């Protein structure tokens, strides 16, 4: 996958399993979406806050899940 097809999104981490993460943009679980770890990269948030993550994911997936 080309880097030009990727975007970075800062998200609130609600839940994490071995295969997926449940995240939202504003920390509202009602609007949270599941993302498969196989399709994304998860990194700690630069702030060091354990509840936030920086995701790198394909733009079409981010758009489909309303994260951009």
């Amino acid at each position: 996958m080309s880097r030009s097809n990727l975007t970075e999104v800062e998200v609130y981490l609600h839940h994490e399993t071995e295969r997926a993460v449940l995240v939202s943009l504003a920390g509202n679980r009602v609007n949270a979406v599941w993302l498969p770890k196989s399709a994304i990269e998860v990194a700690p948030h630069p702030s060091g806050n354990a509840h936030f993550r920086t995701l790198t994911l394909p733009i079409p997936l981010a758009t489909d899940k309303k994260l951009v």
Side-chain angles (χ1 to χ4, degrees), residues 16-62:
E16 183 173 5
T17 69
E18 185 177 317
R19 294 182 160 183
V21 291
L22 180 65
V23 299
S24 69
L25 292 176
N28 185 344
R29 192 175 178 103
V30 172
N31 297 324
V33 294
W34 284 101
L35 296 169
K37 287 183 177 178
S38 61
I40 64 173
E41 291 180 15
V42 181
H45 191 267
S47 70
N49 185 322
H51 295 286
F52 292 93
R53 298 290 188 277
T54 300
L55 303 183
T56 303
L57 66 160
I59 292 170
L61 178 59

